Short mmCIF file of all heavy atoms in Angstrom, two decimals:
data_model
loop_
_atom_site.label_atom_id
_atom_site.label_comp_id
_atom_site.label_asym_id
_atom_site.label_seq_id
_atom_site.Cartn_x
_atom_site.Cartn_y
_atom_site.Cartn_z
N TRP A 182 141.49 -23.09 102.24
CA TRP A 182 141.20 -24.51 102.52
C TRP A 182 141.90 -25.45 101.50
O TRP A 182 141.83 -25.29 100.32
CB TRP A 182 139.68 -24.78 102.49
CG TRP A 182 138.94 -23.86 103.39
CD1 TRP A 182 138.08 -22.84 102.96
CD2 TRP A 182 138.87 -23.86 104.80
NE1 TRP A 182 137.58 -22.19 104.06
CE2 TRP A 182 138.06 -22.80 105.19
CE3 TRP A 182 139.50 -24.65 105.78
CZ2 TRP A 182 137.76 -22.53 106.53
CZ3 TRP A 182 139.26 -24.36 107.06
CH2 TRP A 182 138.45 -23.28 107.45
N PRO A 183 142.65 -26.48 101.98
CA PRO A 183 143.35 -27.40 101.11
C PRO A 183 142.32 -28.21 100.34
O PRO A 183 141.37 -28.81 100.96
CB PRO A 183 144.09 -28.29 102.11
CG PRO A 183 144.27 -27.49 103.38
CD PRO A 183 143.07 -26.64 103.43
N PRO A 184 142.40 -28.30 99.05
CA PRO A 184 141.39 -29.00 98.23
C PRO A 184 141.24 -30.46 98.68
O PRO A 184 140.06 -30.97 98.67
CB PRO A 184 141.90 -28.89 96.84
CG PRO A 184 142.83 -27.72 96.85
CD PRO A 184 143.41 -27.58 98.21
N GLU A 185 142.28 -31.10 99.11
CA GLU A 185 142.18 -32.47 99.49
C GLU A 185 141.32 -32.65 100.75
O GLU A 185 140.64 -33.67 100.92
CB GLU A 185 143.52 -33.15 99.66
CG GLU A 185 144.44 -32.44 100.64
CD GLU A 185 145.34 -31.42 100.09
OE1 GLU A 185 144.85 -30.61 99.27
OE2 GLU A 185 146.58 -31.44 100.43
N VAL A 186 141.40 -31.67 101.64
CA VAL A 186 140.52 -31.70 102.87
C VAL A 186 139.08 -31.50 102.53
O VAL A 186 138.18 -32.18 103.00
CB VAL A 186 141.02 -30.66 103.87
CG1 VAL A 186 140.06 -30.64 105.09
CG2 VAL A 186 142.44 -31.04 104.35
N VAL A 187 138.82 -30.56 101.66
CA VAL A 187 137.50 -30.30 101.18
C VAL A 187 136.89 -31.55 100.57
O VAL A 187 135.76 -31.96 100.83
CB VAL A 187 137.37 -29.09 100.21
CG1 VAL A 187 135.94 -28.93 99.77
CG2 VAL A 187 137.92 -27.86 100.87
N ALA A 188 137.65 -32.17 99.66
CA ALA A 188 137.15 -33.36 98.90
C ALA A 188 136.91 -34.51 99.89
O ALA A 188 135.90 -35.25 99.74
CB ALA A 188 138.19 -33.74 97.87
N GLU A 189 137.84 -34.78 100.82
CA GLU A 189 137.66 -35.91 101.74
C GLU A 189 136.46 -35.66 102.69
O GLU A 189 135.73 -36.58 102.99
CB GLU A 189 138.92 -36.13 102.59
CG GLU A 189 138.79 -37.33 103.52
CD GLU A 189 140.15 -37.75 104.13
OE1 GLU A 189 141.18 -37.30 103.63
OE2 GLU A 189 140.11 -38.47 105.18
N THR A 190 136.25 -34.40 103.14
CA THR A 190 135.11 -34.10 103.94
C THR A 190 133.86 -34.35 103.13
O THR A 190 132.89 -34.92 103.71
CB THR A 190 135.13 -32.65 104.44
OG1 THR A 190 136.41 -32.41 105.08
CG2 THR A 190 134.01 -32.38 105.36
N ASN A 191 133.81 -33.94 101.88
CA ASN A 191 132.60 -34.09 101.08
C ASN A 191 132.33 -35.63 100.82
O ASN A 191 131.13 -36.08 100.89
CB ASN A 191 132.78 -33.43 99.78
CG ASN A 191 132.66 -31.88 99.85
OD1 ASN A 191 132.09 -31.40 100.84
ND2 ASN A 191 133.06 -31.19 98.88
N ASP A 192 133.43 -36.39 100.63
CA ASP A 192 133.25 -37.80 100.35
C ASP A 192 132.75 -38.58 101.52
O ASP A 192 132.06 -39.61 101.43
CB ASP A 192 134.58 -38.38 99.87
CG ASP A 192 134.97 -37.86 98.48
OD1 ASP A 192 134.06 -37.32 97.77
OD2 ASP A 192 136.13 -38.02 98.08
N SER A 193 133.14 -38.13 102.75
CA SER A 193 132.83 -38.89 103.93
C SER A 193 131.58 -38.36 104.69
O SER A 193 131.14 -38.93 105.66
CB SER A 193 133.99 -38.91 104.92
OG SER A 193 134.34 -37.57 105.26
N GLY A 194 131.05 -37.24 104.22
CA GLY A 194 129.95 -36.65 104.85
C GLY A 194 128.57 -37.26 104.58
O GLY A 194 128.43 -37.96 103.61
N GLU A 195 127.68 -37.04 105.44
CA GLU A 195 126.34 -37.56 105.33
C GLU A 195 125.44 -36.59 104.54
O GLU A 195 125.72 -35.41 104.41
CB GLU A 195 125.74 -37.72 106.69
CG GLU A 195 126.48 -38.79 107.59
CD GLU A 195 125.89 -38.91 108.96
OE1 GLU A 195 124.91 -38.17 109.21
OE2 GLU A 195 126.39 -39.72 109.73
N ARG A 196 124.39 -37.13 103.98
CA ARG A 196 123.38 -36.31 103.28
C ARG A 196 122.64 -35.44 104.24
O ARG A 196 122.54 -35.78 105.39
CB ARG A 196 122.48 -37.15 102.42
CG ARG A 196 123.14 -37.91 101.27
CD ARG A 196 122.15 -38.70 100.48
NE ARG A 196 122.72 -39.32 99.35
CZ ARG A 196 122.82 -38.72 98.13
NH1 ARG A 196 122.42 -37.52 97.98
NH2 ARG A 196 123.47 -39.32 97.14
N GLY A 197 122.01 -34.37 103.77
CA GLY A 197 121.18 -33.55 104.60
C GLY A 197 121.72 -32.12 104.71
O GLY A 197 122.81 -31.84 104.34
N GLU A 198 120.93 -31.22 105.19
CA GLU A 198 121.22 -29.85 105.35
C GLU A 198 121.61 -29.51 106.80
O GLU A 198 121.19 -30.22 107.70
CB GLU A 198 120.08 -29.02 104.90
CG GLU A 198 119.61 -29.27 103.46
CD GLU A 198 120.68 -28.77 102.40
OE1 GLU A 198 121.63 -28.06 102.83
OE2 GLU A 198 120.60 -29.20 101.27
N TYR A 199 122.31 -28.41 106.97
CA TYR A 199 122.57 -27.93 108.24
C TYR A 199 121.49 -26.85 108.61
O TYR A 199 121.31 -25.93 107.85
CB TYR A 199 123.92 -27.24 108.40
CG TYR A 199 124.22 -26.63 109.77
CD1 TYR A 199 124.63 -27.48 110.79
CD2 TYR A 199 123.90 -25.34 110.01
CE1 TYR A 199 124.83 -26.99 112.07
CE2 TYR A 199 124.13 -24.79 111.25
CZ TYR A 199 124.61 -25.65 112.30
OH TYR A 199 124.75 -25.11 113.58
N SER A 200 120.82 -27.06 109.63
CA SER A 200 119.73 -26.17 110.06
C SER A 200 120.02 -25.70 111.53
O SER A 200 119.55 -26.27 112.46
CB SER A 200 118.35 -26.78 110.02
OG SER A 200 118.08 -27.22 108.68
N GLY A 201 120.76 -24.58 111.62
CA GLY A 201 121.10 -24.08 112.94
C GLY A 201 120.15 -22.98 113.34
O GLY A 201 119.26 -22.59 112.62
N ARG A 202 120.36 -22.39 114.49
CA ARG A 202 119.47 -21.36 114.92
C ARG A 202 119.77 -20.05 114.04
O ARG A 202 118.78 -19.28 113.86
CB ARG A 202 119.72 -21.09 116.45
CG ARG A 202 118.77 -20.00 117.02
CD ARG A 202 118.94 -19.96 118.51
NE ARG A 202 118.09 -18.90 119.05
CZ ARG A 202 118.03 -18.53 120.30
NH1 ARG A 202 118.85 -19.18 121.19
NH2 ARG A 202 117.22 -17.64 120.75
N TYR A 203 121.01 -19.84 113.71
CA TYR A 203 121.30 -18.56 113.09
C TYR A 203 121.87 -18.77 111.65
O TYR A 203 121.75 -17.87 110.88
CB TYR A 203 122.35 -17.81 113.91
CG TYR A 203 121.83 -17.56 115.30
CD1 TYR A 203 122.31 -18.27 116.41
CD2 TYR A 203 120.83 -16.59 115.50
CE1 TYR A 203 121.84 -17.99 117.65
CE2 TYR A 203 120.38 -16.32 116.75
CZ TYR A 203 120.89 -16.99 117.84
OH TYR A 203 120.42 -16.81 119.12
N LEU A 204 122.42 -19.96 111.33
CA LEU A 204 122.91 -20.26 110.04
C LEU A 204 122.31 -21.55 109.51
O LEU A 204 122.05 -22.43 110.31
CB LEU A 204 124.49 -20.39 110.09
CG LEU A 204 125.38 -19.17 109.95
CD1 LEU A 204 125.09 -18.43 108.58
CD2 LEU A 204 125.19 -18.22 111.10
N GLN A 205 122.17 -21.62 108.16
CA GLN A 205 121.64 -22.78 107.58
C GLN A 205 122.18 -22.94 106.20
O GLN A 205 122.81 -22.03 105.65
CB GLN A 205 120.11 -22.68 107.42
CG GLN A 205 119.67 -21.40 106.63
CD GLN A 205 118.17 -21.19 106.72
OE1 GLN A 205 117.43 -21.99 107.20
NE2 GLN A 205 117.78 -20.07 106.11
N THR A 206 122.03 -24.12 105.62
CA THR A 206 122.55 -24.38 104.27
C THR A 206 121.33 -24.68 103.37
O THR A 206 120.34 -25.14 103.84
CB THR A 206 123.56 -25.53 104.20
OG1 THR A 206 122.92 -26.72 104.68
CG2 THR A 206 124.80 -25.24 105.07
N GLN A 207 121.66 -24.42 102.13
CA GLN A 207 120.71 -24.79 101.11
C GLN A 207 121.38 -25.59 99.96
O GLN A 207 122.30 -25.04 99.30
CB GLN A 207 120.05 -23.57 100.46
CG GLN A 207 118.96 -23.91 99.41
CD GLN A 207 118.31 -22.62 98.89
OE1 GLN A 207 118.52 -21.55 99.37
NE2 GLN A 207 117.40 -22.84 97.91
N ASP A 208 121.16 -26.88 99.92
CA ASP A 208 121.82 -27.78 98.95
C ASP A 208 123.37 -27.71 99.30
O ASP A 208 124.19 -27.73 98.36
CB ASP A 208 121.61 -27.32 97.51
CG ASP A 208 122.01 -28.43 96.53
OD1 ASP A 208 121.98 -29.60 96.92
OD2 ASP A 208 122.33 -28.07 95.33
N GLY A 209 123.62 -27.71 100.51
CA GLY A 209 125.08 -27.58 100.93
C GLY A 209 125.75 -28.92 100.93
O GLY A 209 125.17 -29.97 101.43
N ARG A 210 126.98 -28.94 100.46
CA ARG A 210 127.84 -30.11 100.52
C ARG A 210 128.36 -30.23 101.92
O ARG A 210 128.37 -29.26 102.71
CB ARG A 210 128.94 -29.96 99.46
CG ARG A 210 128.42 -30.14 98.06
CD ARG A 210 129.39 -29.67 97.03
NE ARG A 210 129.52 -28.15 97.04
CZ ARG A 210 129.58 -27.42 95.91
NH1 ARG A 210 129.56 -28.03 94.71
NH2 ARG A 210 129.74 -26.15 96.00
N PRO A 211 128.92 -31.41 102.25
CA PRO A 211 129.34 -31.65 103.63
C PRO A 211 130.30 -30.63 104.18
O PRO A 211 130.21 -30.19 105.33
CB PRO A 211 129.94 -33.09 103.58
CG PRO A 211 129.10 -33.72 102.55
CD PRO A 211 128.85 -32.73 101.51
N PHE A 212 131.27 -30.23 103.39
CA PHE A 212 132.26 -29.19 103.90
C PHE A 212 131.56 -27.84 104.10
O PHE A 212 131.87 -27.21 105.13
CB PHE A 212 133.40 -29.00 102.95
CG PHE A 212 134.51 -28.15 103.45
CD1 PHE A 212 135.49 -28.78 104.30
CD2 PHE A 212 134.63 -26.88 103.12
CE1 PHE A 212 136.54 -27.97 104.79
CE2 PHE A 212 135.71 -26.04 103.67
CZ PHE A 212 136.63 -26.61 104.56
N GLU A 213 130.66 -27.48 103.30
CA GLU A 213 129.92 -26.30 103.45
C GLU A 213 128.97 -26.39 104.70
O GLU A 213 128.84 -25.33 105.44
CB GLU A 213 129.11 -25.96 102.17
CG GLU A 213 129.97 -25.54 101.01
CD GLU A 213 129.37 -25.85 99.70
OE1 GLU A 213 128.23 -26.51 99.62
OE2 GLU A 213 129.94 -25.45 98.61
N ARG A 214 128.46 -27.52 104.91
CA ARG A 214 127.63 -27.65 106.15
C ARG A 214 128.53 -27.61 107.37
O ARG A 214 128.14 -27.05 108.43
CB ARG A 214 126.91 -29.03 106.07
CG ARG A 214 125.89 -29.15 104.97
CD ARG A 214 124.85 -30.21 105.18
NE ARG A 214 125.42 -31.51 105.33
CZ ARG A 214 125.62 -32.39 104.27
NH1 ARG A 214 125.23 -31.94 103.04
NH2 ARG A 214 126.07 -33.57 104.45
N TRP A 215 129.76 -28.12 107.25
CA TRP A 215 130.68 -27.97 108.39
C TRP A 215 131.04 -26.53 108.65
O TRP A 215 131.10 -26.10 109.79
CB TRP A 215 131.99 -28.78 108.07
CG TRP A 215 133.07 -28.68 109.11
CD1 TRP A 215 133.04 -29.37 110.29
CD2 TRP A 215 134.20 -27.90 109.06
NE1 TRP A 215 134.17 -29.04 111.04
CE2 TRP A 215 134.90 -28.09 110.29
CE3 TRP A 215 134.72 -26.98 108.16
CZ2 TRP A 215 136.06 -27.48 110.62
CZ3 TRP A 215 135.96 -26.34 108.51
CH2 TRP A 215 136.58 -26.57 109.68
N LEU A 216 131.25 -25.77 107.65
CA LEU A 216 131.50 -24.31 107.77
C LEU A 216 130.29 -23.62 108.40
O LEU A 216 130.46 -22.82 109.32
CB LEU A 216 131.82 -23.69 106.40
CG LEU A 216 133.17 -24.04 105.74
CD1 LEU A 216 133.18 -23.49 104.31
CD2 LEU A 216 134.31 -23.49 106.55
N ALA A 217 129.14 -23.98 107.96
CA ALA A 217 127.91 -23.31 108.52
C ALA A 217 127.82 -23.62 110.05
O ALA A 217 127.43 -22.76 110.81
CB ALA A 217 126.63 -23.88 107.86
N GLY A 218 128.13 -24.80 110.47
CA GLY A 218 128.11 -25.16 111.88
C GLY A 218 129.08 -24.37 112.69
O GLY A 218 128.81 -23.90 113.78
N ARG A 219 130.30 -24.09 112.12
CA ARG A 219 131.29 -23.33 112.87
C ARG A 219 130.90 -21.87 112.96
O ARG A 219 131.00 -21.26 114.02
CB ARG A 219 132.67 -23.41 112.11
CG ARG A 219 133.11 -24.84 111.74
CD ARG A 219 133.52 -25.67 112.87
NE ARG A 219 132.49 -26.06 113.80
CZ ARG A 219 131.55 -27.04 113.56
NH1 ARG A 219 131.42 -27.58 112.37
NH2 ARG A 219 130.68 -27.36 114.47
N LEU A 220 130.34 -21.31 111.85
CA LEU A 220 129.85 -19.96 111.93
C LEU A 220 128.69 -19.77 112.87
O LEU A 220 128.56 -18.72 113.55
CB LEU A 220 129.52 -19.48 110.50
CG LEU A 220 130.60 -19.40 109.49
CD1 LEU A 220 130.14 -18.95 108.19
CD2 LEU A 220 131.80 -18.56 109.94
N ASP A 221 127.84 -20.80 112.93
CA ASP A 221 126.75 -20.77 113.80
C ASP A 221 127.14 -20.75 115.26
O ASP A 221 126.58 -20.03 116.10
CB ASP A 221 125.85 -22.03 113.54
CG ASP A 221 124.41 -21.81 114.10
OD1 ASP A 221 123.91 -20.69 114.06
OD2 ASP A 221 123.76 -22.79 114.54
N ARG A 222 128.35 -21.40 115.52
CA ARG A 222 128.84 -21.37 116.86
C ARG A 222 129.27 -19.98 117.30
O ARG A 222 129.05 -19.54 118.39
CB ARG A 222 130.04 -22.36 116.92
CG ARG A 222 130.67 -22.41 118.34
CD ARG A 222 129.69 -22.81 119.45
NE ARG A 222 129.26 -24.16 119.29
CZ ARG A 222 129.81 -25.22 119.86
NH1 ARG A 222 130.74 -25.03 120.83
NH2 ARG A 222 129.38 -26.44 119.80
N VAL A 223 129.97 -19.25 116.27
CA VAL A 223 130.39 -17.90 116.59
C VAL A 223 129.21 -17.00 116.91
O VAL A 223 129.20 -16.27 117.98
CB VAL A 223 131.12 -17.32 115.34
CG1 VAL A 223 131.49 -15.79 115.63
CG2 VAL A 223 132.37 -18.12 115.06
N VAL A 224 128.19 -17.05 116.13
CA VAL A 224 126.99 -16.19 116.33
C VAL A 224 126.23 -16.52 117.62
O VAL A 224 125.88 -15.66 118.38
CB VAL A 224 126.01 -16.29 115.10
CG1 VAL A 224 124.75 -15.43 115.34
CG2 VAL A 224 126.73 -15.88 113.80
N THR A 225 126.12 -17.82 117.85
CA THR A 225 125.42 -18.28 119.09
C THR A 225 126.13 -17.79 120.33
O THR A 225 125.56 -17.24 121.27
CB THR A 225 125.34 -19.87 119.06
OG1 THR A 225 124.51 -20.27 118.00
CG2 THR A 225 124.63 -20.30 120.39
N HIS A 226 127.43 -17.99 120.29
CA HIS A 226 128.26 -17.59 121.47
C HIS A 226 128.14 -16.12 121.74
O HIS A 226 127.99 -15.66 122.92
CB HIS A 226 129.69 -18.08 121.38
CG HIS A 226 130.47 -17.90 122.64
ND1 HIS A 226 130.18 -18.65 123.81
CD2 HIS A 226 131.50 -17.10 122.96
CE1 HIS A 226 131.10 -18.26 124.76
NE2 HIS A 226 131.84 -17.35 124.23
N GLN A 227 128.29 -15.34 120.70
CA GLN A 227 128.28 -13.90 120.91
C GLN A 227 126.87 -13.34 121.40
O GLN A 227 126.79 -12.52 122.26
CB GLN A 227 128.71 -13.15 119.65
CG GLN A 227 128.91 -11.65 119.87
CD GLN A 227 129.49 -10.87 118.66
OE1 GLN A 227 129.05 -11.12 117.54
NE2 GLN A 227 130.45 -10.04 118.99
#
């Protein structure tokens, strides 16, 4: 992951956690919450 993309995602992201059906975050920063959402999509679809 390019650091500048991680930083911009974190700077523009909203507060709060990702709470998916299969993946969740704990004190996750916006980029980490974005990753959790993508992984949740993989698990959900399979």
Side-chain angles (χ1 to χ4, degrees):
W182 306 110
E185 57 268 45
V186 172
V187 177
E189 184 170 340
T190 306
N191 286 342
D192 290 343
S193 60
E195 299 178 358
R196 292 181 177 274
E198 300 295 344
Y199 179 82
S200 298
R202 184 173 179 184
Y203 302 106
L204 275 299
Q205 60 190 354
T206 60
Q207 183 176 356
D208 196 26
R210 289 162 290 220
F212 189 81
E213 292 156 350
R214 296 201 297 271
W215 178 76
L216 289 172
R219 311 289 68 74
L220 297 179
D221 201 32
R222 178 60 67 99
V223 174
V224 177
T225 298
H226 188 66
Q227 189 172 45

